[in-house]
Amino acid sequence: MSHLTYAEAGIVGLIQGVTELFPISSLGHSVLIPALVGGQWARDLNVSNAKSPYLAFVVGLHVATAIAMIIFFWRDWVRIIAAFFASLGHVARPAPGTRRWAPQTIDQRLAWMLVVATIPVAIAGALLQHLFTHVFSKPVLVAGFLFVNGLILLGGERLRRRGADIEAEQIAADQAAASQRQRAVVGAGERGIAAGGPGSSGRHSAGPRGAKQQEAQVALAADRRLVRLGFGGGLLLGASQILALFPGISRDGIVMVSGMFKGLTRQDAARFSFLLSAPVIFAAGVFKLHDLTGPLGAGIKGQVLFGSVLSGIGAYLALKFLVRYLSDASRTLTPFAIYCLVAGLGSAIYLSVR
C-alpha cells in the first residue's frame, strides 16, 4: 500500500518548486507543511524517518527543479558547458607566454568558478547529510531556522540600500548598452534590406528574437562582473550554501546576501545564485537517486512523477518571476524576509503549544 497520495504529491510538489527559487527555503517548507497539517500528512511526509517514502519523493522533486532551471537558462548553460570543455583542451597546451594552464575567456572562468563553488557544499552534504536530515529536521527547529532566514534577508536588504544607487545605475547601463547593440543589429538589417543583401534577415531582430538578444547581452555583462570575484570569491559564495543544509535556510537567499557582502549588486548575486543552484540541486538528486529506484520508491512512482512535473512547472514560473522582479532596483527582499519571520515564529509557537 502506498503511503503517499496524489493530493499530497501535487500540493507539496508545486510548493517545493516555487519555494526552491524564492529565498524562503524549499526544504523548510517540505518539513513544516506536513507537521502543520498533521494527521496523515505528518505520518506520510516525515523527512526525518529513514524508512519514509517521502525521502524518495523529495529526490524526484529536486531533479525536476534542477531540470527546470537548466531549461530556463539553457542558452547560458550551452555557452558555459561549451567553454568548460574548450578549457579542458588547453590543459596540455598553456596559453603562449604562460607556464601554467588557466581559463582563457570569461565563459571559461565562469564555468570553473561554478565548479569550484560547488565543491564545499558537495563535501559537506556527503559527510553530514544524516545529521542535517535526521537531527536538524525537527519541525520546531526548522521553524526557528526559517525565522533566522528572515533575519538574514533583512540584513542583506539593509546592506543593499547602501549601494542602491550603484545598482540602479548598473541596471540602467546594462539595459542601455544592450538596447544600443540591438539598434545596431536592426539598423544593419535594414541597410541589408535596402541593399537587397543577406542582412535582410535582421528585420526579425526587433521582435521576440531581439528581446532574447538583449537579455543575452545583459547576461554577458553580468558574467564579466562575476568573474572579477575570482576563484577565491566563488569558493566563499559556494561555501555559504552549507548553511542552507539547515532546513529553513534558503540556498538562494544565503548566496545572494553573501554575494552582496562581497560587493556584488543584488541582480548579479542572484544570477550567480541561480546558476550555482542548478548543478548543486541536480547533483543532490542524482546522489540520492537510489532512494527513488530502491525500496523507498516502491509503489509511489506515479505520485513522484505527478509531483515532479508540478515542481518543475512551479520552479520555471517562479524563476521567470524572480528574474523580472530582481531586475527592478526599486523592489526589495523585504516581503520574503517578513514572510519568513512571520511563518517561522508562527509555526514555532503553534507546534510548541499544539
Side-chain angles (χ1 to χ4, degrees), residues 16 19 26 78 87 91 102 140 209 281 300 305 332 341 344 350:
Q16 194 276 343
T19 55
S26 63
V78 167
S87 72
V91 172
V140 175
R209 181 182 174 187
I281 296 171
I300 62 168
L305 178 61
T332 72
L341 293 174
Y350 175 77

Side-chain angles (χ1 to χ4, degrees), residues 182-205:
Q182 184 59 27
R183 286 194 297 270
V185 171
V186 173
E190 291 174 346
R191 289 192 296 273
I193 294 173
S200 59
S201 62
R203 58 193 171 91
H204 298 293
S205 295

Side-chain angles (χ1 to χ4, degrees), residues 91-107:
V91 172
R93 295 178 287 107
T98 64
R99 294 184 178 180
R100 60 185 178 85
W101 168 86
Q104 301 300 307
T105 67
I106 290 173
D107 289 339

Side-chain angles (χ1 to χ4, degrees), residues 164-225:
D165 292 339
I166 296 175
E167 180 177 350
E169 291 172 2
Q170 177 182 292
I171 292 174
D174 284 349
Q175 293 175 344
S179 297
Q180 185 176 2
R181 292 189 187 96
Q182 184 59 27
R183 286 194 297 270
V185 171
V186 173
E190 291 174 346
R191 289 192 296 273
I193 294 173
S200 59
S201 62
R203 58 193 171 91
H204 298 293
S205 295
R209 181 182 174 187
K212 294 296 183 183
Q213 291 173 343
Q214 185 170 343
E215 291 175 4
Q217 292 296 333
V218 172
L220 287 172
D223 291 347
R224 282 193 290 271
R225 291 187 293 267

Side-chain angles (χ1 to χ4, degrees), residues 55-256:
L55 291 171
F57 176 64
V58 171
V59 170
L61 300 187
H62 276 104
V63 173
T65 301
I67 291 173
M69 298 174 71
I70 292 171
I71 291 173
F72 187 89
F73 288 113
W74 73 268
R75 291 178 178 83
D76 300 278
W77 280 115
V78 167
R79 178 167 51 84
I80 291 169
I81 292 173
F84 173 77
F85 283 106
S87 72
L88 294 179
H90 299 301
V91 172
R93 295 178 287 107
T98 64
R99 294 184 178 180
R100 60 185 178 85
W101 168 86
Q104 301 300 307
T105 67
I106 290 173
D107 289 339
Q108 289 179 12
R109 290 198 293 272
L110 179 60
W112 280 100
M113 276 182 64
L114 292 173
V115 171
V116 169
T118 304
I119 293 173
V121 71
I123 295 174
L127 296 178
L128 304 174
Q129 185 265 341
H130 182 274
L131 177 67
F132 286 108
T133 302
H134 301 290
V135 177
F136 293 114
S137 60
K138 307 304 179 185
V140 175
L141 281 177
V142 173
F145 292 141
L146 187 62
F147 184 86
V148 172
N149 188 69
L151 296 178
I152 292 172
L153 295 180
L154 283 181
E157 191 56 43
R158 183 180 181 86
L159 177 68
R160 188 187 74 89
R161 291 195 191 103
R162 301 175 186 174
D165 292 339
I166 296 175
E167 180 177 350
E169 291 172 2
Q170 177 182 292
I171 292 174
D174 284 349
Q175 293 175 344
S179 297
Q180 185 176 2
R181 292 189 187 96
Q182 184 59 27
R183 286 194 297 270
V185 171
V186 173
E190 291 174 346
R191 289 192 296 273
I193 294 173
S200 59
S201 62
R203 58 193 171 91
H204 298 293
S205 295
R209 181 182 174 187
K212 294 296 183 183
Q213 291 173 343
Q214 185 170 343
E215 291 175 4
Q217 292 296 333
V218 172
L220 287 172
D223 291 347
R224 282 193 290 271
R225 291 187 293 267
L226 287 174
V227 297
R228 293 174 192 163
L229 285 174
F231 292 114
L235 184 67
L236 288 175
L237 292 189
S240 70
Q241 294 180 106
I242 295 174
L243 292 176
L245 294 175
F246 291 99
I249 303 297
S250 165
R251 183 191 315 278
D252 289 318
I254 197 68
V255 174
M256 274 193 274

Side-chain angles (χ1 to χ4, degrees), residues 10-24:
I11 293 173
V12 173
L14 185 59
I15 292 175
Q16 194 276 343
V18 173
T19 55
E20 185 70 64
L21 278 304
F22 283 12
I24 56 176

